[in-house]
């Protein structure tokens, strides 16, 4: 082991194994500690609702995929989350992808135990929470086209504005039509 980025890959693998302990990528101190450059330039204005959605790195081990997402409180007041976000995937033309996104592993992997139960997470300004999307890339029907999500729409909590994120790495579902979603968890700093 060694070389640039190995710590990030180990961290991503840990996220796959602990679904609720999503990938911690994008916070400046962690990136700097791993030898990655922190983002430069002035930050974008805080979106309506006071939170910003960021895409973490993913992991694709033997067809099992996981993608981590961070919700950063860029507002001036505490932001309270509980449970699971509402998530929808869109294709490259912004059309909905037919996929069952369920809580926990949603049958994507055999459960090794109960999924971490949802709990309340309070984000003070500058703090972040994470959620992870888990799926398998399998083509189960040769006749049908493989599904691929290129855009993620996420509602952090009931009544909050919908956040849209064009993904750097697609959610390549193949023909499975199923994904699991972890509950919100606080990002440890």
């Amino acid at each position: 082991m060694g070389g640039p980025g190995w710590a990030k890959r180990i961290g991503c693998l840990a996220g796959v194994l602990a679904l609720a302990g999503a990938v911690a990528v994008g916070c400046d101190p962690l990136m700097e500690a791993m030898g990655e450059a922190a983002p430069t330039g002035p930050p974008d204005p805080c979106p309506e609702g006071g939170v910003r959605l960021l895409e973490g790195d993913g992991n694709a081990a033997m067809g099992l995929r996981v993608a981590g997402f961070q919700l950063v409180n860029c507002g001036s007041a505490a932001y309270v989350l509980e449970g699971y976000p509402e998530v929808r995937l869109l294709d490259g033309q912004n059309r909905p992808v037919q996929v069952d996104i369920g809580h926990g592993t949603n049958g994507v992997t055999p459960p090794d135990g109960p999924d971490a139960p949802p709990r309340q997470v309070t984000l003070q300004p500058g703090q972040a929470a994470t959620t992870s999307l888990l799926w398998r890339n399998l083509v189960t029907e040769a006749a049908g086209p493989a599904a691929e999500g290129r855009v993620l729409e996420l509602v952090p909590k009931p009544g909050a504005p919908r956040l849209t994120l064009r993904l750097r790495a697609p959610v390549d579902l193949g023909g499975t039509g199923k994904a699991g979603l972890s509950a919100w968890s606080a990002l440890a700093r």
Side-chain angles (χ1 to χ4, degrees):
M1 280 194 181
W6 74 269
K8 189 186 312 181
R9 287 190 288 278
I10 296 297
C12 289
L13 182 56
V16 170
L17 299 175
L19 181 61
V23 182
V25 175
C27 61
D28 297 348
L30 179 62
M31 292 176 71
E32 290 168 3
M34 295 185 327
E36 302 283 332
T40 59
D44 292 333
C46 190
E48 176 188 0
V51 290
R52 176 176 288 113
L53 182 62
L54 303 174
E55 179 180 9
D57 284 347
N59 190 324
M62 300 187 313
L64 180 64
R65 312 282 203 250
V66 68
F69 301 94
Q70 282 187 21
L71 188 72
V72 180
N73 181 352
C74 54
S76 59
Y79 194 88
V80 179
L81 299 166
E82 190 162 0
Y84 299 85
E86 176 191 318
V87 173
R88 184 167 81 151
L89 288 171
L90 307 176
D91 67 14
Q93 285 73 47
N94 294 326
R95 296 179 303 223
V97 172
Q98 294 300 317
V99 57
D100 168 29
I101 300 175
H103 296 166
T105 60
N106 194 30
V108 173
T109 63
D112 290 347
D115 292 316
R119 57 187 183 85
Q120 187 175 35
V121 177
T122 301
L123 303 177
Q124 297 303 322
Q127 292 182 327
T130 61
T131 188
S132 292
L133 191 63
L134 175 76
W135 72 97
R136 283 201 181 275
N137 178 323
L138 296 173
V139 177
T140 56
E141 296 181 26
E148 187 173 82
R150 295 269 178 189
V151 176
L152 179 98
E153 289 186 338
L154 183 143
V155 177
K157 61 183 182 178
R162 183 176 303 274
L163 302 169
T164 302
L165 183 65
R166 186 153 297 277
L167 302 173
R168 293 185 318 258
V171 175
D172 54 348
L173 293 161
T176 62
K178 184 184 282 194
L181 182 69
S182 70
W184 287 116
S185 62
L187 178 63
R189 291 205 182 227

